[in-house]
Every structure is written in structure tokens, then in C-alpha cells.
């Protein structure tokens, strides 16, 4: 059960990370990265970020690339939310494959 504070911080991080990824992926045509969910730990130190990546064939490669550039992403996030948060949480990125799962179930039902 997430507290109100956790929900507010999760929404803030999701909004700011979405804008960061939007700016970074403009240079890569044909790739779309969106932040589908952010779950933050109760002590606000770790944020699990779930990414939806299109096309899904490139998802593992993109998440690996994002994890390699995590320091620069966290720094950029810190500059954006420095007035709202005292400590910027550690970021962990994961692939959100729920849309692929839904498509698979739809195909099986047809």
C-alpha cells in the first residue's frame, strides 16, 4: 500500500522522466520510449521505473543502454526536481511488457 507522499513523488518522477526520454529519443527516429509506471520504496531511496519501448524488438537493448547512462539521467532528473525533493532516489529501469502480453492474449482468444 503506497502512501500519498509516495504517489505524489511517483507521479512527479514519471512526468519528468517522460520529458527527459522524449528529448533524448528525438535524435533516434523510429524509437519511442515512454514511462508507464514508477514505483518508489517507502524510504524514498529507490525508484523502479517501468518503460514501454516501441518497437519492442529493441527493448532489451534500449534498457541496457539506459542503465549504462543512469548517472546522467539521474543528474538531469535532479536538476529538474531539486526544489521538490531533497534526495534524488536511485533509479532502476525495467521493461514494461504488459502491452505485448495483452496482444498475445488477444491473439490467442481470436
Amino acid at each position: 500500500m503506497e502512501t500519498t507522499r509516495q504517489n505524489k513523488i511517483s507521479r512527479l518522477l514519471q512526468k519528468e522522466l517522460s520529458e527527459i526520454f522524449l528529448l533524448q529519443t528525438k535524435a533516434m527516429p523510429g524509437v519511442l520510449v515512454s514511462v508507464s509506471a514508477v514505483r518508489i520504496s517507502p524510504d524514498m531511496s529507490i525508484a523502479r521505473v517501468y518503460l514501454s519501448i516501441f518497437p519492442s524488438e529493441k527493448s532489451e537493448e534500449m534498457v541496457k543502454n539506459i542503465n549504462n547512462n543512469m548517472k546522467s539521467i539521474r543528474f538531469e532528473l535532479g536538476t529538474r526536481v531539486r526544489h521538490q525533493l531533497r534526495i534524488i532516489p536511485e533509479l532502476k529501469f525495467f521493461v514494461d511488457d504488459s502491452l505485448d502480453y495483452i496482444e498475445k492474449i488477444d491473439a490467442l482468444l481470436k
Side-chain angles (χ1 to χ4, degrees), residues 82-101:
R82 67 177 182 259
H83 298 296
Q84 288 100 347
L85 297 177
R86 184 176 299 170
I87 297 171
I88 307 304
E90 179 185 338
L91 302 173
K92 294 185 178 182
F93 295 99
F94 300 96
V95 176
D96 182 23
D97 56 355
S98 59
L99 293 177
D100 295 335
Y101 181 73

Side-chain angles (χ1 to χ4, degrees), residues 9-70:
I9 292 175
S10 293
R11 285 194 309 265
L12 174 69
L13 294 178
Q14 182 177 0
K15 177 181 166 282
E16 295 298 335
L17 284 170
S18 294
E19 290 177 12
I20 290 170
F21 287 132
L22 179 66
L23 293 174
Q24 287 183 353
T25 56
K26 279 188 178 179
M28 297 183 295
V31 176
L32 178 66
V33 177
S34 64
V35 180
S36 58
V38 175
R39 303 277 182 251
I40 193 153
S41 64
D43 62 350
M44 313 290 177
S45 64
I46 299 172
R48 297 172 56 102
V49 181
Y50 295 94
L51 303 173
S52 294
I53 300 172
F54 180 80
S56 58
E57 297 85 36
K58 297 182 178 182
S59 60
E60 294 298 327
E61 175 188 340
M62 289 292 293
V63 169
K64 184 178 178 183
N65 189 6
I66 289 170
N67 280 321
N68 290 340
N69 295 322
M70 188 182 326

